[in-house]
């Protein structure tokens, strides 16, 4: 594995590279969150108890309209706050601290990038997140606090219900048949050609349009797949320069850290963050998760200001902190704008 990683290590050691991460559920299995498709342990394998017509139905909007219970059973299990970031998430955070990270596209809805201290500006939650909720009928927003209250309300059978029209409310997680956030397409268009390295990890590359990202990067971009299985464009349209590592994400993250000589910083980061999360962990919900990411962002801002010149690009750290602050406030009290929900005429999420 060490030899296979050399092209990546050499590029990173040279510095001045723009790295994009394109990740999926496999980077979070080490945290205890099941992925979709792994045989025996994947969510789809374990959905029999929900009596679904087919496993994907749990994330289908038409099925949700008729039977929201299946989704909310799962949402309760997966709701952010219960899980700690993995070694792989901390590698992403370290890439950010080293000013090598350009963008972290994720299909995950677990917010673990945020919890590892990756700043909002770098993260593209392509399949949405639990940060906002809307009624599926009148599209009015619902606060996280109300959603969590309804999820525990036996008289509602745990189904969050719109205060205005009594329709079902759903977190802004992108279901099959719904469009992805505008930001995903904007960044794809603006900068996909700019990346020097694309690290694709923990994804089966079966959900579109996300699965197309690795084939859209420029010919000069080094593509690296870190996944248990070879998949997607790495199989169907491989490039000579591709690096394919079929192994556990966390194991590869650890090896990379050693090969790059980042061990001490990495261990310190993991130790400090884990301690903080354990202190904050009891009853941690999404609002607390965001507050924690705000705290981490502030610390990063202080570190960066103390040690280096600020970035000369659009990523003014104080703006990012303001943005995260705004997110915390809006998730707790301010209604979010309907226009921010994912109802643009963009391509919809589909499975191969
Ligand atoms: P997937 O289709 O389940 O594929 C996961 C891939 O990761 C598979 O190829 C596995 O072999 C591989 N894998 C699993 N564990 C590891 C590991 N430790 N190291 C290396 N490889 C591993 O999931 P995708 O993300 O490709 O599918 C997209 C769906 C999954 C998105 O819509 C997500 O919202 C959805 N999802 C997200 C989460 C989460 O937020 N953590 C959990 C489950 C599903």
């Amino acid at each position: 594995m060490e030899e296979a990683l050399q092209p990546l290590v050499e590029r990173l050691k040279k510095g001045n590279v723009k790295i994009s991460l394109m990740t999926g559920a496999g980077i979070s299995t080490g945290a205890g969150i099941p992925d979709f498709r792994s045989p025996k342990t994947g969510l789809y394998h374990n959905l029999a108890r929900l009596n679904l017509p087919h496993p994907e139905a749990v994330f289908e909007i038409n099925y949700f309209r008729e039977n929201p219970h299946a989704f909310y059973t799962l949402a309760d299990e997966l709701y952010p706050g219960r899980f700690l970031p993995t070694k792989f998430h901390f590698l992403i955070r370290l890439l950010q601290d080293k000013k090598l990270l350009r963008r972290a596209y994720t299909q995950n809805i677990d917010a673990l990038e945020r919890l590892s201290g990756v700043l909002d500006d770098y993260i593209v939650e392509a399949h949405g997140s639990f940060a906002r909720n809307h009624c599926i009928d009148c599209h009015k927003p619902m606060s996280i606090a109300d959603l969590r209250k309804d999820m525990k309300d036996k008289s509602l059978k745990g189904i969050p219900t719109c205060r205005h029209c009594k329709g079902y409310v759903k977190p802004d997680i992108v279901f099959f048949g719904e469009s992805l956030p505008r930001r995903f397409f904007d960044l794809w268009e603006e900068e996909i050609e700019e990346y020097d390295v694309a690290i694709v990890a923990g994804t089966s590359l079966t959900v579109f349009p996300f699965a197309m990202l690795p084939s859209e990067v420029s010919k000069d971009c080094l593509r690296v797949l870190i996944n248990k299985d070879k998949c997607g464009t790495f199989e169907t349209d491989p490039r000579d320069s591709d690096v394919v590592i079929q192994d556990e994400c966390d194991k590869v993250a650890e090896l990379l850290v050693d090969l790059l000589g980042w061990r001490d910083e990495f261990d310190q980061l993991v130790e400090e963050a884990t301690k903080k999360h354990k202190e904050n962990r009891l009853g941690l919900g999404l609002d607390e998760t965001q507050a924690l990411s705000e705290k981490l962002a502030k610390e990063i801002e202080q570190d960066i200001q103390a040690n280096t010149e600020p970035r000369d690009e659009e990523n003014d750290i104080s703006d990012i902190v303001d943005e995260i602050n705004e997110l915390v406030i809006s998730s707790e009290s301010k209604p979010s704008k309907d226009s921010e929900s994912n109802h643009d005429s963009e391509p919809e999420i589909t499975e191969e």
Side-chain angles (χ1 to χ4, degrees), residues 10 14 27 29 35 42 47 64-65 76 125 134 148-149 152 155 180 212 222-223 242 251 271 319 329 332 334-335:
E10 275 163 32
K14 262 194 218 155
I27 71 163
T29 52
D35 64 5
L47 288 175
F64 179 85
R65 281 184 184 284
D76 202 35
E125 286 162 330
H134 286 88
R148 295 299 277 159
K149 207 165 98 202
K152 292 189 181 88
S155 70
L180 276 66
M212 286 166 72
L222 176 67
R223 305 193 312 174
D242 281 351
K251 196 168 139 195
E271 196 186 319
D319 285 348
I329 294 161
E332 284 169 352
K334 274 198 314 192

Side-chain angles (χ1 to χ4, degrees), residues 49 56-57 59 84 180 202:
R49 68 202 153 97
E56 290 83 357
F59 291 113
L84 297 178
L180 276 66

Side-chain angles (χ1 to χ4, degrees), residues 106-124:
T106 181
Q107 297 168 90
N108 296 344
I109 49 179
D110 54 33
L112 290 185
E113 290 83 5
R114 294 177 188 281
L115 268 191
S116 71
V118 178
L119 294 168
D120 187 58
D121 196 49
Y122 294 102
I123 301 172
V124 186

Side-chain angles (χ1 to χ4, degrees), residues 144-209:
I144 288 174
D146 282 347
L147 183 102
R148 295 299 277 159
K149 207 165 98 202
D150 283 11
M151 280 173 75
K152 292 189 181 88
D153 188 335
K154 289 205 174 102
S155 70
L156 295 171
K157 295 190 177 140
I159 309 303
T161 306
C162 180
R163 304 292 186 261
H164 305 271
C165 76
K166 303 275 177 244
Y168 294 142
V169 175
K170 165 180 112 34
D172 288 0
I173 290 165
V174 182
F175 276 25
F176 295 116
E178 290 188 314
S179 57
L180 276 66
R182 165 128 246 132
R183 175 171 155 78
F184 171 81
F185 297 103
D186 286 350
L187 288 174
W188 176 340
E189 203 170 298
E190 275 166 33
E191 54 178 52
I192 194 104
E193 294 272 325
E194 289 174 21
Y195 306 136
D196 304 306
V197 176
I199 301 179
V200 182
T203 171
S204 58
L205 290 178
T206 45
V207 179
F208 286 81

